[in-house]
Amino acid sequence: MEERLRTLASISARHFSAHLDEVRLRSGHTTERIRVNHPTAAAVAPFLDDGRILMVRQYRYAIGRETLEIPAGKTDPGETVEVCARRELLEETGYEAGLLRRIFAYYPAIGYSDEVIEIFEARNLEKKNDFVDENEISKVEILTLDEVRDLVGREKITDSKTILSLCLLSGYFGMRSGA
């Protein structure tokens, strides 16, 4: 186990905080670790009745380019993960889910962050509006699973929550979609 000796520096933003800690290792040596405190997030794999999936294109500042991924976002203070999943789906695609099923939870950056992403499958979708959060989303795309597999295989989709969601829902890990 590693023991935090002191925090050397911290930065806090509206939705997370990051800390540089000095820690003592099991061997007794000291080193530095970065620790990010981040709220839980929800990711939604939304399927239309014909089996196609809704995905969103959005610019990701940290990597300097647009990505194609499933809708997702962090929980607001006091918000449940399921409410967050429903909100993000509507904000990013304009659709509401008649059926929302939790699939899995995982740590996307376990080496330095406490963020947990809970993955949901959404079915029985109903288009509620054409408005999407244009501050985040540049385009909503509807793809077949074969198209998505091809894009993953060609490394055009590299987002971990999207890839993991589709692996889980396609039965790759012995789990199956509700369809």
Side-chain angles (χ1 to χ4, degrees), residues 8 15-16 19 23 25 28-29 35 47 49-50 54 66 69 80 86 93 100 106-107 113 121 126 131 159 161 174:
L8 302 171
H15 300 292
F16 74 94
H19 312 275
V23 299
L25 304 175
H29 292 95
R35 171 178 48 92
F47 291 94
D49 290 343
D50 63 6
L54 294 175
E66 268 195 345
E69 55 192 82
T80 68
R86 290 184 182 281
T93 69
L100 189 69
Y106 78 105
Y107 294 94
S113 176
E121 173 186 25
E126 183 179 341
F131 170 79
D159 173 60
K161 70 185 171 303

Side-chain angles (χ1 to χ4, degrees), residues 75-81 83:
T75 56
D76 288 337
E79 182 178 54
T80 68
V81 182
V83 168

